[in-house]
Amino acid sequence: MINEKVQDVLNSQINKEFYSAYLYLAMSAYFDKLGLYGFSNWTKIQAREEVEHGMILFDYIVDRDGTVNLTQIDVPEKDFKNPKQVFEKILEHEKFVTESINCVAEMSEGECDIATRQFIDWYISEQVEEEANARSVIKKLNMFGDEKAALYHLDKELGEREYKHHTYEAG
Ligand code: FEO
């Protein structure tokens, strides 16, 4: 059985991960409209990863004999100004998710739920990577400014991102 307070923050985290997927999909649709299919690919793959993050939490709650509580997912923002603004929003959002993951870690530690404290370590590392990924694209966009050729090359680079499947298995 899982501690109820820990279960609540895990369920709330599921909602945040699925909202993240929605947000990345909205960004992907925006890039498709611009014809930036590489940017669209990158954000679409990120959306799939976010669904996975939500599902790993889902499976973990089930494995701990807890109760999954799915709640309404907010409508994501869909009007963006330019690619750089999108990545700034990504970074801002991922920082918010990092804070939220830190709260899960803190709560599980406070409630002496060592299994969850260990489980959440993977998310802590994942957040470092996600913030770094967004920062790296922002730096490139800052360097190139509005240069169309550079945007074209960056679009090609982001188009090379491939989906990597992650799973959680108890035991
Ligand atoms: Fe699952 Fe982007 O945090």
Side-chain angles (χ1 to χ4, degrees), residues 95-165:
K95 282 182 179 173
F96 161 75
V97 175
T98 299
E99 294 266 309
S100 176
I101 291 290
N102 288 344
C103 288
V104 176
E106 205 171 75
M107 173 71 77
S108 46
E109 206 161 298
E111 295 297 315
C112 294
D113 182 346
I114 308 307
T116 303
R117 180 61 196 86
Q118 283 183 343
F119 163 79
I120 215 68
D121 271 345
W122 181 80
Y123 285 82
I124 294 171
S125 311
E126 186 75 1
Q127 283 311 120
V128 172
E129 191 184 317
E130 297 204 348
E131 285 189 27
N133 288 344
R135 249 182 236 111
S136 132
V137 177
I138 291 169
K139 278 182 191 165
K140 286 175 186 169
L141 288 165
N142 275 339
M143 207 152 62
F144 302 142
D146 288 332
E147 220 184 292
K148 289 228 163 52
L151 197 60
Y152 173 79
H153 286 293
L154 185 55
D155 189 56
K156 274 185 97 170
E157 184 187 316
L158 298 182
E160 283 164 14
R161 182 178 184 183
E162 287 177 8
Y163 174 66
K164 284 192 209 108
H165 182 56

Side-chain angles (χ1 to χ4, degrees), residues 5-165:
K5 284 189 200 163
V6 173
Q7 178 176 281
D8 284 350
V9 288
L10 288 172
N11 272 311
S12 158
Q13 193 62 38
I14 290 179
N15 184 287
K16 286 172 188 144
E17 300 294 346
F18 279 97
Y19 171 77
S20 301
Y22 249 33
L23 180 64
Y24 280 110
L25 274 181
M27 291 167 168
S28 178
Y30 164 76
F31 286 129
D32 275 330
K33 280 261 183 222
L34 292 181
L36 289 170
Y37 301 116
F39 279 84
S40 170
N41 170 66
W42 195 97
T43 41
K44 203 173 288 162
I45 286 175
Q46 190 58 40
R48 289 180 72 186
E49 286 206 1
E50 299 299 353
V51 170
E52 209 168 69
H53 296 170
M55 288 310 303
I56 291 172
L57 288 157
F58 180 107
D59 289 341
Y60 177 74
I61 295 174
V62 171
D63 280 347
R64 294 290 309 279
D65 198 23
T67 304
V68 171
N69 181 26
L70 299 177
T71 51
Q72 187 164 334
I73 301 168
D74 287 342
V75 174
E77 183 177 356
K78 63 178 167 51
D79 298 316
F80 305 106
K81 277 199 288 197
N82 52 50
K84 190 180 147 198
Q85 189 221 23
V86 173
F87 273 85
E88 283 167 348
K89 281 182 183 285
I90 289 176
L91 181 57
E92 189 186 325
H93 179 69
E94 290 303 342
K95 282 182 179 173
F96 161 75
V97 175
T98 299
E99 294 266 309
S100 176
I101 291 290
N102 288 344
C103 288
V104 176
E106 205 171 75
M107 173 71 77
S108 46
E109 206 161 298
E111 295 297 315
C112 294
D113 182 346
I114 308 307
T116 303
R117 180 61 196 86
Q118 283 183 343
F119 163 79
I120 215 68
D121 271 345
W122 181 80
Y123 285 82
I124 294 171
S125 311
E126 186 75 1
Q127 283 311 120
V128 172
E129 191 184 317
E130 297 204 348
E131 285 189 27
N133 288 344
R135 249 182 236 111
S136 132
V137 177
I138 291 169
K139 278 182 191 165
K140 286 175 186 169
L141 288 165
N142 275 339
M143 207 152 62
F144 302 142
D146 288 332
E147 220 184 292
K148 289 228 163 52
L151 197 60
Y152 173 79
H153 286 293
L154 185 55
D155 189 56
K156 274 185 97 170
E157 184 187 316
L158 298 182
E160 283 164 14
R161 182 178 184 183
E162 287 177 8
Y163 174 66
K164 284 192 209 108
H165 182 56

